[in-house]
Coordinates of all heavy atoms in Angstrom, one line a residue:
M159 N 10.7 -6.2 -32.6 CA 10.9 -4.9 -31.8 C 9.5 -4.5 -31.4 O 8.6 -4.4 -32.2 CB 11.6 -3.9 -32.7 CG 11.8 -2.6 -31.9 SD 12.8 -1.4 -32.9 CE 14.4 -1.9 -32.5
I160 N 9.4 -4.1 -30.1 CA 8.1 -3.7 -29.7 C 8.0 -2.2 -29.8 O 9.0 -1.5 -30.0 CB 7.9 -4.1 -28.2 CG1 8.9 -3.5 -27.3 CG2 7.8 -5.6 -28.0 CD1 8.7 -3.7 -25.8
A161 N 6.7 -1.7 -29.7 CA 6.5 -0.3 -29.9 C 7.2 0.6 -28.9 O 7.7 1.7 -29.3 CB 5.0 0.0 -29.8
A162 N 7.4 0.2 -27.7 CA 8.1 1.0 -26.7 C 9.6 1.2 -27.1 O 10.2 2.2 -26.7 CB 8.1 0.3 -25.4
D163 N 10.1 0.3 -27.9 CA 11.5 0.4 -28.3 C 11.6 1.2 -29.6 O 12.7 1.3 -30.2 CB 12.1 -1.0 -28.6 CG 12.3 -1.8 -27.3 OD1 12.4 -1.1 -26.2 OD2 12.3 -3.0 -27.3
G164 N 10.5 1.7 -30.1 CA 10.6 2.5 -31.3 C 10.1 1.7 -32.5 O 10.1 2.2 -33.6
G165 N 9.8 0.5 -32.3 CA 9.3 -0.3 -33.4 C 7.8 -0.4 -33.5 O 7.1 0.2 -32.6
G166 N 7.3 -0.9 -34.5 CA 5.8 -1.0 -34.7 C 5.2 -2.3 -34.3 O 4.0 -2.5 -34.4
G167 N 6.0 -3.2 -33.9 CA 5.5 -4.6 -33.6 C 4.8 -4.7 -32.3 O 4.6 -3.7 -31.6
T168 N 4.4 -5.9 -32.0 CA 3.7 -6.1 -30.7 C 4.6 -6.6 -29.6 O 5.7 -7.0 -29.9 CB 2.5 -7.1 -30.9 OG1 3.1 -8.4 -31.4 CG2 1.5 -6.6 -31.9
A169 N 4.2 -6.5 -28.4 CA 5.0 -7.0 -27.3 C 5.2 -8.5 -27.4 O 4.3 -9.2 -27.9 CB 4.3 -6.6 -26.0
P170 N 6.3 -9.0 -26.9 CA 6.6 -10.4 -26.9 C 5.6 -11.1 -26.0 O 5.1 -10.6 -25.1 CB 8.0 -10.6 -26.4 CG 8.3 -9.3 -25.8 CD 7.5 -8.2 -26.4
S171 N 5.3 -12.4 -26.3 CA 4.3 -13.1 -25.5 C 4.9 -13.8 -24.3 O 4.2 -14.4 -23.6 CB 3.6 -14.2 -26.4 OG 4.6 -15.1 -26.9
S172 N 6.2 -13.7 -24.1 CA 6.8 -14.3 -23.0 C 7.6 -13.3 -22.1 O 7.9 -12.2 -22.6 CB 7.8 -15.4 -23.4 OG 8.9 -14.8 -24.2
L173 N 7.8 -13.6 -20.9 CA 8.4 -12.7 -20.0 C 9.6 -13.5 -19.3 O 9.4 -14.6 -18.8 CB 7.4 -12.3 -18.9 CG 7.9 -11.4 -17.8 CD1 8.4 -10.1 -18.3 CD2 6.8 -11.2 -16.7
V174 N 10.7 -12.9 -19.3 CA 11.9 -13.5 -18.6 C 12.1 -12.8 -17.3 O 12.3 -11.6 -17.3 CB 13.1 -13.4 -19.5 CG1 14.3 -14.0 -18.8 CG2 12.9 -14.1 -20.8
V175 N 12.1 -13.5 -16.2 CA 12.3 -13.0 -14.9 C 13.3 -13.8 -14.2 O 13.3 -15.0 -14.1 CB 11.0 -13.0 -14.1 CG1 11.2 -12.4 -12.7 CG2 9.9 -12.2 -14.8
D176 N 14.3 -13.1 -13.6 CA 15.3 -13.7 -12.8 C 14.9 -13.9 -11.4 O 14.7 -12.9 -10.7 CB 16.6 -12.9 -12.9 CG 17.8 -13.5 -12.1 OD1 17.7 -14.7 -11.7 OD2 18.7 -12.8 -11.8
P177 N 14.6 -15.1 -10.9 CA 14.1 -15.3 -9.6 C 15.1 -14.8 -8.5 O 14.6 -14.2 -7.5 CB 14.0 -16.9 -9.4 CG 13.9 -17.4 -10.8 CD 14.7 -16.4 -11.7
A178 N 16.4 -14.8 -8.7 CA 17.3 -14.2 -7.8 C 17.1 -12.7 -7.7 O 17.2 -12.1 -6.6 CB 18.7 -14.6 -8.2
A179 N 16.8 -12.1 -8.8 CA 16.6 -10.6 -8.8 C 15.3 -10.3 -8.0 O 15.3 -9.3 -7.2 CB 16.5 -10.1 -10.2
L180 N 14.3 -11.1 -8.2 CA 13.1 -10.9 -7.4 C 13.3 -11.1 -5.9 O 12.8 -10.3 -5.1 CB 11.9 -11.8 -7.9 CG 11.3 -11.5 -9.2 CD1 10.3 -12.6 -9.6 CD2 10.7 -10.1 -9.3
T181 N 14.1 -12.1 -5.6 CA 14.4 -12.3 -4.2 C 15.2 -11.1 -3.6 O 14.9 -10.6 -2.5 CB 15.3 -13.6 -4.0 OG1 14.5 -14.7 -4.5 CG2 15.7 -13.8 -2.6
R182 N 16.1 -10.5 -4.4 CA 16.9 -9.3 -3.9 C 16.0 -8.1 -3.7 O 16.1 -7.4 -2.8 CB 18.0 -9.0 -4.9 CG 19.2 -10.0 -4.8 CD 20.4 -9.5 -5.6 NE 20.1 -9.2 -7.0 CZ 20.2 -10.0 -8.0 NH1 20.5 -11.3 -7.8 NH2 19.9 -9.7 -9.2
V183 N 15.0 -8.0 -4.6 CA 14.1 -6.9 -4.5 C 13.2 -7.0 -3.3 O 13.1 -6.0 -2.5 CB 13.2 -6.8 -5.8 CG1 12.0 -5.8 -5.6 CG2 14.0 -6.3 -7.0
A184 N 12.7 -8.2 -3.0 CA 11.9 -8.4 -1.8 C 12.7 -8.2 -0.6 O 12.2 -7.6 0.4 CB 11.3 -9.8 -1.9
A185 N 13.9 -8.7 -0.6 CA 14.8 -8.5 0.6 C 15.1 -7.0 0.8 O 15.1 -6.5 2.0 CB 16.1 -9.3 0.4
G186 N 15.3 -6.3 -0.2 CA 15.6 -4.8 -0.1 C 14.4 -4.1 0.5 O 14.5 -3.2 1.3
L187 N 13.2 -4.5 0.0 CA 12.0 -3.8 0.5 C 11.8 -4.2 2.0 O 11.4 -3.3 2.8 CB 10.8 -4.2 -0.3 CG 10.7 -3.6 -1.7 CD1 9.6 -4.4 -2.6 CD2 10.3 -2.2 -1.6
G188 N 12.0 -5.4 2.3 CA 11.9 -5.8 3.7 C 12.9 -5.1 4.6 O 12.6 -4.7 5.7
T189 N 14.1 -5.0 4.1 CA 15.2 -4.3 4.9 C 14.8 -2.8 5.1 O 14.9 -2.3 6.2 CB 16.5 -4.4 4.2 OG1 16.9 -5.8 4.1 CG2 17.6 -3.6 5.0
G190 N 14.3 -2.2 4.0 CA 13.9 -0.8 4.1 C 12.8 -0.6 5.1 O 12.8 0.4 5.9
A191 N 11.8 -1.5 5.1 CA 10.7 -1.4 6.0 C 11.2 -1.5 7.5 O 10.8 -0.8 8.3 CB 9.7 -2.5 5.7
G192 N 12.1 -2.4 7.7 CA 12.7 -2.6 9.0 C 13.4 -1.4 9.5 O 13.3 -1.0 10.7
E193 N 14.2 -0.8 8.6 CA 14.9 0.5 8.9 C 14.0 1.6 9.2 O 14.2 2.4 10.2 CB 15.9 0.8 7.8 CG 17.0 -0.1 7.7 CD 18.0 0.1 6.6 OE1 17.7 1.1 5.8 OE2 18.9 -0.6 6.4
L194 N 12.9 1.7 8.5 CA 11.9 2.8 8.8 C 11.2 2.5 10.2 O 11.0 3.4 10.9 CB 10.8 2.8 7.7 CG 11.1 3.5 6.5 CD1 10.0 3.3 5.4 CD2 11.2 5.0 6.7
D195 N 10.9 1.2 10.5 CA 10.4 0.9 11.8 C 11.4 1.3 12.9 O 11.0 1.8 13.9 CB 10.0 -0.6 11.9 CG 8.7 -0.9 11.2 OD1 7.9 0.0 11.0 OD2 8.5 -2.1 10.9
A196 N 12.6 1.0 12.7 CA 13.6 1.3 13.7 C 13.7 2.8 14.0 O 14.0 3.2 15.1 CB 15.0 0.8 13.3
C197 N 13.5 3.6 12.9 CA 13.6 5.1 13.1 C 12.5 5.5 14.0 O 12.6 6.5 14.7 CB 13.5 5.8 11.8 SG 14.9 5.6 10.7
G198 N 11.3 4.8 14.0 CA 10.2 5.3 14.8 C 10.2 4.8 16.2 O 9.3 5.0 16.9
S199 N 11.2 4.1 16.6 CA 11.3 3.6 18.0 C 11.6 4.7 19.0 O 11.4 4.4 20.2 CB 12.2 2.4 18.1 OG 13.5 2.8 17.8
T200 N 12.2 5.8 18.6 CA 12.5 6.8 19.5 C 12.0 8.2 19.0 O 11.7 8.3 17.8 CB 14.0 7.0 19.8 OG1 14.6 7.3 18.5 CG2 14.6 5.7 20.3
R201 N 11.9 9.1 19.8 CA 11.5 10.5 19.4 C 12.2 11.5 20.3 O 12.6 11.2 21.4 CB 10.0 10.7 19.5 CG 9.4 10.7 20.9 CD 7.9 11.1 20.9 NE 7.4 11.2 22.2 CZ 7.5 12.3 23.0 NH1 8.0 13.4 22.5 NH2 7.0 12.3 24.2
P202 N 12.4 12.6 19.8 CA 13.1 13.6 20.6 C 12.2 14.1 21.7 O 11.0 14.1 21.6 CB 13.4 14.8 19.6 CG 12.5 14.5 18.4 CD 12.1 13.1 18.4
T203 N 12.9 14.5 22.8 CA 12.1 15.1 23.9 C 11.9 16.6 23.7 O 12.6 17.2 22.9 CB 12.9 14.8 25.2 OG1 14.2 15.5 25.1 CG2 13.1 13.4 25.5
A204 N 11.0 17.1 24.5 CA 10.7 18.5 24.4 C 12.0 19.2 24.9 O 12.6 18.9 25.9 CB 9.6 18.9 25.3
G205 N 12.4 20.2 24.1 CA 13.7 20.8 24.3 C 13.6 22.3 24.4 O 14.4 23.1 23.9
G206 N 12.6 22.8 25.1 CA 12.5 24.3 25.3 C 12.2 25.0 24.0 O 12.8 26.0 23.8
T207 N 11.3 24.4 23.2 CA 11.0 25.1 22.0 C 9.9 26.1 22.1 O 9.5 26.8 21.1 CB 10.5 24.0 20.9 OG1 9.5 23.2 21.5 CG2 11.7 23.1 20.6
G208 N 9.4 26.3 23.3 CA 8.4 27.4 23.6 C 7.2 27.2 22.8 O 6.6 26.1 22.7
Q209 N 6.7 28.3 22.2 CA 5.4 28.3 21.5 C 5.5 27.5 20.2 O 4.4 27.1 19.7 CB 5.1 29.8 21.1 CG 4.8 30.6 22.3 CD 4.4 32.1 22.0 OE1 4.7 32.5 20.9 NE2 3.8 32.8 22.9
A210 N 6.6 27.2 19.7 CA 6.7 26.4 18.5 C 6.5 24.9 18.8 O 6.4 24.1 17.8 CB 8.1 26.6 17.8
E211 N 6.6 24.5 20.0 CA 6.5 23.1 20.4 C 5.3 22.4 19.8 O 5.4 21.3 19.2 CB 6.6 22.9 21.9 CG 6.7 21.4 22.2 CD 7.0 21.2 23.7 OE1 7.6 22.1 24.3 OE2 6.8 20.1 24.2
P212 N 4.0 22.9 19.9 CA 2.9 22.2 19.3 C 3.0 22.0 17.8 O 2.7 20.9 17.3 CB 1.7 23.1 19.6 CG 2.1 23.9 20.8 CD 3.6 24.1 20.7
L213 N 3.5 23.0 17.1 CA 3.7 22.9 15.7 C 4.8 21.8 15.4 O 4.6 21.0 14.5 CB 4.2 24.2 15.1 CG 4.5 24.2 13.6 CD1 3.2 23.8 12.8 CD2 4.9 25.6 13.2
L214 N 5.9 21.8 16.1 CA 6.9 20.8 15.9 C 6.4 19.4 16.2 O 6.7 18.4 15.5 CB 8.1 21.1 16.8 CG 8.9 22.4 16.4 CD1 10.0 22.6 17.4 CD2 9.5 22.2 15.0
L215 N 5.6 19.3 17.2 CA 5.0 17.9 17.5 C 4.0 17.5 16.4 O 4.0 16.3 16.1 CB 4.3 18.0 18.9 CG 5.2 18.1 20.1 CD1 4.4 18.2 21.4 CD2 6.1 16.9 20.2
M216 N 3.3 18.4 15.8 CA 2.4 18.1 14.7 C 3.2 17.6 13.5 O 2.9 16.7 12.8 CB 1.5 19.3 14.3 CG 0.4 19.5 15.4 SD -0.6 21.0 15.1 CE -0.6 21.3 13.4
I217 N 4.3 18.3 13.3 CA 5.2 17.9 12.2 C 5.8 16.5 12.4 O 5.8 15.7 11.5 CB 6.3 19.0 11.9 CG1 5.7 20.3 11.4 CG2 7.4 18.5 11.0 CD1 6.7 21.5 11.4
L218 N 6.3 16.3 13.6 CA 6.8 15.0 14.0 C 5.7 13.9 13.8 O 6.0 12.8 13.4 CB 7.4 15.0 15.4 CG 8.8 15.6 15.5 CD1 9.1 15.7 17.0 CD2 9.8 14.9 14.7
A219 N 4.5 14.2 14.3 CA 3.4 13.2 14.2 C 3.1 12.9 12.7 O 2.9 11.7 12.3 CB 2.2 13.7 14.8
A220 N 3.1 13.9 11.8 CA 2.8 13.7 10.4 C 4.0 12.9 9.8 O 3.7 11.9 9.0 CB 2.7 15.0 9.7
A221 N 5.2 13.2 10.1 CA 6.3 12.5 9.6 C 6.3 11.0 10.1 O 6.6 10.1 9.3 CB 7.7 13.1 10.0
S222 N 6.0 10.8 11.3 CA 5.9 9.4 11.9 C 4.8 8.6 11.2 O 5.0 7.5 10.9 CB 5.6 9.5 13.4 OG 6.7 10.1 14.1
E223 N 3.7 9.3 10.9 CA 2.6 8.6 10.3 C 3.0 8.2 8.8 O 2.7 7.1 8.4 CB 1.3 9.5 10.2 CG 0.1 8.8 9.6 CD -1.1 9.7 9.6 OE1 -1.2 10.6 10.3 OE2 -2.0 9.4 8.8
A224 N 3.6 9.1 8.1 CA 4.1 8.8 6.8 C 5.1 7.7 6.8 O 5.1 6.8 5.9 CB 4.7 10.1 6.1
G225 N 6.0 7.7 7.8 CA 7.0 6.6 7.9 C 6.4 5.3 8.1 O 6.8 4.3 7.5
A226 N 5.3 5.3 9.0 CA 4.6 4.0 9.3 C 3.9 3.5 8.0 O 4.0 2.3 7.7 CB 3.6 4.2 10.4
R227 N 3.3 4.4 7.2 CA 2.7 4.0 6.0 C 3.7 3.4 5.0 O 3.4 2.4 4.3 CB 1.9 5.2 5.4 CG 0.6 5.4 6.1 CD -0.3 6.4 5.3 NE 0.3 7.5 4.7 CZ 0.3 8.7 5.2 NH1 -0.3 9.0 6.3 NH2 1.0 9.7 4.6
L228 N 4.8 4.1 4.9 CA 5.9 3.7 4.0 C 6.4 2.3 4.4 O 6.6 1.4 3.5 CB 7.0 4.6 3.9 CG 6.8 5.9 3.1 CD1 8.0 6.9 3.4 CD2 6.6 5.6 1.7
S229 N 6.6 2.1 5.7 CA 7.0 0.8 6.2 C 6.0 -0.3 5.8 O 6.4 -1.4 5.4 CB 7.3 0.9 7.7 OG 7.6 -0.4 8.2
Y230 N 4.8 0.0 6.1 CA 3.7 -1.0 5.8 C 3.7 -1.3 4.3 O 3.6 -2.5 3.9 CB 2.4 -0.5 6.3 CG 1.2 -1.3 5.9 CD1 0.9 -2.5 6.5 CD2 0.4 -1.0 4.8 CE1 -0.1 -3.3 6.1 CE2 -0.6 -1.7 4.4 CZ -0.9 -2.9 5.0 OH -2.0 -3.7 4.6
E231 N 3.7 -0.3 3.5 CA 3.6 -0.5 2.0 C 4.8 -1.3 1.5 O 4.7 -2.1 0.6 CB 3.4 0.8 1.3 CG 2.1 1.5 1.5 CD 0.9 0.6 1.1 OE1 1.0 -0.2 0.2 OE2 -0.2 0.8 1.7
A232 N 6.0 -1.0 2.1 CA 7.2 -1.7 1.7 C 7.1 -3.2 2.0 O 7.5 -4.1 1.2 CB 8.4 -1.1 2.3
R233 N 6.5 -3.5 3.2 CA 6.3 -4.9 3.6 C 5.3 -5.6 2.6 O 5.4 -6.8 2.2 CB 5.9 -5.0 5.0 CG 7.0 -4.7 6.0 CD 6.6 -5.0 7.4 NE 7.4 -4.4 8.4 CZ 8.7 -4.8 8.7 NH1 9.2 -5.8 8.0 NH2 9.4 -4.1 9.5
V234 N 4.2 -4.9 2.3 CA 3.2 -5.4 1.4 C 3.8 -5.7 0.0 O 3.6 -6.8 -0.6 CB 2.0 -4.5 1.3 CG1 1.1 -4.9 0.1 CG2 1.2 -4.4 2.6
L235 N 4.6 -4.7 -0.5 CA 5.2 -4.9 -1.8 C 6.2 -6.1 -1.7 O 6.3 -6.9 -2.7 CB 5.9 -3.7 -2.2 CG 5.0 -2.5 -2.7 CD1 5.8 -1.2 -2.9 CD2 4.3 -2.9 -3.9
A236 N 7.0 -6.2 -0.6 CA 7.9 -7.3 -0.5 C 7.2 -8.7 -0.6 O 7.7 -9.6 -1.2 CB 8.7 -7.2 0.8
S237 N 6.1 -8.7 0.1 CA 5.3 -10.0 0.1 C 4.8 -10.3 -1.3 O 4.8 -11.4 -1.8 CB 4.1 -9.8 1.1 OG 3.3 -11.0 1.1
A238 N 4.3 -9.2 -2.0 CA 3.8 -9.4 -3.4 C 4.9 -9.9 -4.3 O 4.7 -10.7 -5.2 CB 3.2 -8.1 -3.9
V239 N 6.1 -9.3 -4.2 CA 7.2 -9.7 -5.0 C 7.6 -11.2 -4.7 O 7.8 -12.0 -5.7 CB 8.4 -8.8 -4.8 CG1 9.7 -9.4 -5.5 CG2 8.2 -7.4 -5.3
E240 N 7.5 -11.6 -3.5 CA 7.8 -13.0 -3.2 C 6.8 -13.9 -3.7 O 7.1 -15.0 -4.3 CB 8.0 -13.2 -1.7 CG 9.3 -12.8 -1.1 CD 10.5 -13.6 -1.7 OE1 10.3 -14.9 -2.0 OE2 11.5 -13.1 -1.9
D241 N 5.5 -13.5 -3.6 CA 4.4 -14.3 -4.2 C 4.6 -14.4 -5.7 O 4.4 -15.5 -6.3 CB 3.0 -13.7 -3.9 CG 2.7 -13.7 -2.4 OD1 3.3 -14.5 -1.7 OD2 1.7 -13.0 -2.1
C242 N 4.9 -13.4 -6.4 CA 5.2 -13.4 -7.8 C 6.4 -14.3 -8.1 O 6.3 -15.1 -9.1 CB 5.5 -12.0 -8.4 SG 4.0 -10.9 -8.4
N243 N 7.4 -14.3 -7.3 CA 8.5 -15.1 -7.5 C 8.2 -16.6 -7.5 O 8.6 -17.4 -8.3 CB 9.6 -14.8 -6.5 CG 11.0 -15.3 -6.9 OD1 11.2 -15.7 -8.0 ND2 11.9 -15.2 -6.0
V244 N 7.3 -17.0 -6.5 CA 6.9 -18.3 -6.4 C 6.1 -18.8 -7.6 O 6.3 -19.8 -8.2 CB 6.0 -18.5 -5.1 CG1 5.3 -19.9 -5.0 CG2 6.9 -18.4 -3.9
V245 N 5.2 -17.9 -8.0 CA 4.3 -18.2 -9.2 C 5.2 -18.4 -10.4 O 5.0 -19.3 -11.2 CB 3.3 -17.1 -9.4 CG1 2.6 -17.3 -10.8 CG2 2.2 -17.1 -8.3
V246 N 6.2 -17.5 -10.6 CA 7.1 -17.6 -11.8 C 7.8 -18.9 -11.8 O 7.9 -19.6 -12.8 CB 8.0 -16.4 -11.8 CG1 9.2 -16.6 -12.8 CG2 7.3 -15.1 -12.2
Q247 N 8.4 -19.2 -10.6 CA 9.2 -20.5 -10.5 C 8.3 -21.7 -10.7 O 8.7 -22.7 -11.4 CB 9.9 -20.5 -9.2 CG 11.0 -19.5 -9.1 CD 11.8 -19.6 -7.8 OE1 11.8 -20.6 -7.1 NE2 12.5 -18.5 -7.5
D248 N 7.0 -21.7 -10.2 CA 6.1 -22.8 -10.4 C 5.7 -22.9 -11.8 O 5.7 -24.0 -12.4 CB 4.9 -22.6 -9.5 CG 5.1 -22.8 -8.0 OD1 6.2 -23.3 -7.7 OD2 4.2 -22.5 -7.2
T249 N 5.5 -21.8 -12.5 CA 5.1 -21.8 -13.9 C 6.2 -22.3 -14.7 O 6.0 -23.1 -15.7 CB 4.7 -20.4 -14.3 OG1 3.6 -20.0 -13.5 CG2 4.3 -20.4 -15.8
D250 N 7.4 -21.9 -14.4 CA 8.6 -22.4 -15.1 C 8.8 -23.9 -15.0 O 9.1 -24.6 -15.9 CB 9.9 -21.7 -14.7 CG 10.0 -20.3 -15.2 OD1 9.2 -19.9 -16.1 OD2 10.9 -19.5 -14.8
A251 N 8.6 -24.4 -13.8 CA 8.7 -25.8 -13.5 C 7.7 -26.6 -14.3 O 8.0 -27.7 -14.9 CB 8.6 -26.1 -12.0
V252 N 6.4 -26.1 -14.3 CA 5.4 -26.8 -15.1 C 5.7 -26.8 -16.6 O 5.6 -27.8 -17.2 CB 4.0 -26.2 -14.8 CG1 3.0 -26.7 -15.8 CG2 3.6 -26.4 -13.4
A253 N 6.2 -25.7 -17.1 CA 6.5 -25.6 -18.5 C 7.7 -26.5 -18.8 O 7.7 -27.2 -19.9 CB 6.9 -24.1 -18.8
A254 N 8.7 -26.6 -17.9 CA 9.8 -27.4 -18.2 C 9.4 -28.9 -18.2 O 9.8 -29.7 -19.0 CB 10.9 -27.2 -17.1
A255 N 8.6 -29.3 -17.2 CA 8.1 -30.7 -17.2 C 7.3 -31.0 -18.4 O 7.4 -32.1 -19.0 CB 7.2 -30.9 -15.9
S256 N 6.4 -30.1 -18.8 CA 5.7 -30.3 -20.1 C 6.6 -30.5 -21.3 O 6.3 -31.3 -22.1 CB 4.7 -29.1 -20.3 OG 4.0 -29.2 -21.5
F257 N 7.6 -29.6 -21.3 CA 8.5 -29.7 -22.4 C 9.2 -31.1 -22.4 O 9.4 -31.7 -23.5 CB 9.6 -28.6 -22.3 CG 10.6 -28.6 -23.4 CD1 10.3 -28.3 -24.7 CD2 11.9 -29.0 -23.1 CE1 11.3 -28.3 -25.7 CE2 12.9 -29.1 -24.1 CZ 12.6 -28.7 -25.4
L258 N 9.6 -31.5 -21.2 CA 10.3 -32.8 -21.2 C 9.4 -34.0 -21.6 O 9.8 -34.9 -22.3 CB 10.8 -33.1 -19.7 CG 12.0 -32.2 -19.3 CD1 12.3 -32.4 -17.8 CD2 13.2 -32.5 -20.2
V259 N 8.1 -33.9 -21.2 CA 7.2 -35.0 -21.5 C 6.9 -35.0 -23.0 O 7.0 -36.0 -23.7 CB 5.9 -34.8 -20.7 CG1 4.8 -35.7 -21.3 CG2 6.1 -35.1 -19.2
Q260 N 6.7 -33.8 -23.6 CA 6.5 -33.7 -25.0 C 7.7 -34.1 -25.8 O 7.6 -34.7 -26.9 CB 6.0 -32.3 -25.4 CG 4.7 -31.9 -24.9 CD 4.3 -30.5 -25.2 OE1 5.1 -29.8 -25.8 NE2 3.1 -30.1 -24.8
G261 N 8.9 -33.8 -25.3 CA 10.1 -34.1 -26.0 C 10.4 -35.6 -26.0 O 10.9 -36.1 -27.0
L262 N 9.9 -36.3 -25.0 CA 10.1 -37.8 -24.9 C 9.2 -38.5 -25.9 O 9.5 -39.5 -26.4 CB 9.8 -38.3 -23.5 CG 10.9 -37.8 -22.5 CD1 10.5 -38.3 -21.1 CD2 12.3 -38.4 -22.8
R263 N 8.0 -37.9 -26.3 CA 7.1 -38.5 -27.2 C 7.5 -38.4 -28.6 O 7.1 -39.1 -29.5 CB 5.7 -37.8 -27.1 CG 5.0 -38.0 -25.8 CD 3.7 -37.3 -25.8 NE 3.1 -37.5 -24.5 CZ 2.0 -36.8 -24.1 NH1 1.4 -35.9 -24.9 NH2 1.6 -37.0 -22.9
S264 N 8.4 -37.4 -29.0 CA 8.8 -37.2 -30.4 C 9.6 -38.4 -30.9 O 10.3 -39.1 -30.3 CB 9.6 -36.0 -30.5 OG 9.1 -34.9 -29.8

């Protein structure tokens, strides 16, 4: 039992990761980024807001900038998750091959 679970032991030395789960996470992040981009393709027109129009345009500009940053970061995270997925699968393949070779020697 590790300390985070209320035990006094140390963390396990191995990590179990489901490659399909990582693929779903990356796909979800990519989808979210695409949806944020789609929201930014249009903007409302000036609608007789009078003196409040400059303030409303500043608010829309700030919201658009935040959305663009979120979209970018979601794409970066999706790419990082996919990279991790490849590394995990490659590491698993190497470990499995090593196990098979060592098992044949016994």
